[in-house]
Amino acid sequence: TYTHQPPLKTVEYFSCGLPQVATRTKANEALIEDGVTGLLSGDQPDEFALSMKCLLEDKSLQETIKRHCMDAAKEYHWKTLAQNLLVPEYVKLLGG
């Protein structure tokens, strides 16, 4: 059931600059760029643990992900979404 549903917490973590490890669902793959805005892992506990260990031990990776997360969060800000998605649709509906 959660394969295609993007979790809100992913965007919330982006906005807080929190590096995250997520499983490779279609929704997570659409939001998270592996190694850039988070780490994507397989569903198996050993794979997930390995990704967590990698993130915990690599301070440089943590900082890289934190920086990119904060930039990615801007894409999901209400003002950005309204300006890029809603306003153009309203303009089309109004015949503009």
Side-chain angles (χ1 to χ4, degrees), residues 11-51:
V11 179
E12 291 172 338
Y13 293 162
F14 281 170
S15 66
C16 294
L18 293 173
Q20 58 191 304
V21 175
T23 55
R24 288 187 180 275
T25 63
K26 290 185 188 294
N28 284 336
E29 287 178 333
L31 291 173
I32 298 170
E33 187 177 346
D34 193 26
V36 178
T37 57
L39 293 180
L40 292 170
S41 168
D43 286 335
Q44 298 303 313
D46 59 330
E47 294 171 306
F48 198 81
L50 189 60
S51 293

Side-chain angles (χ1 to χ4, degrees), residues 5 7-10 19 22 24 29-30 54 56 69 71 83 89:
Q5 180 180 358
L8 177 59
K9 66 182 173 185
T10 300
R24 288 187 180 275
E29 287 178 333
C54 175
L56 287 169
C69 280
D71 289 337
Q83 188 174 26
E89 290 303 316

Side-chain angles (χ1 to χ4, degrees), residues 11 72-83:
V11 179
K74 293 173 188 171
E75 183 179 337
Y76 301 100
H77 188 277
W78 170 247
K79 184 176 181 179
T80 303
L81 291 172
Q83 188 174 26

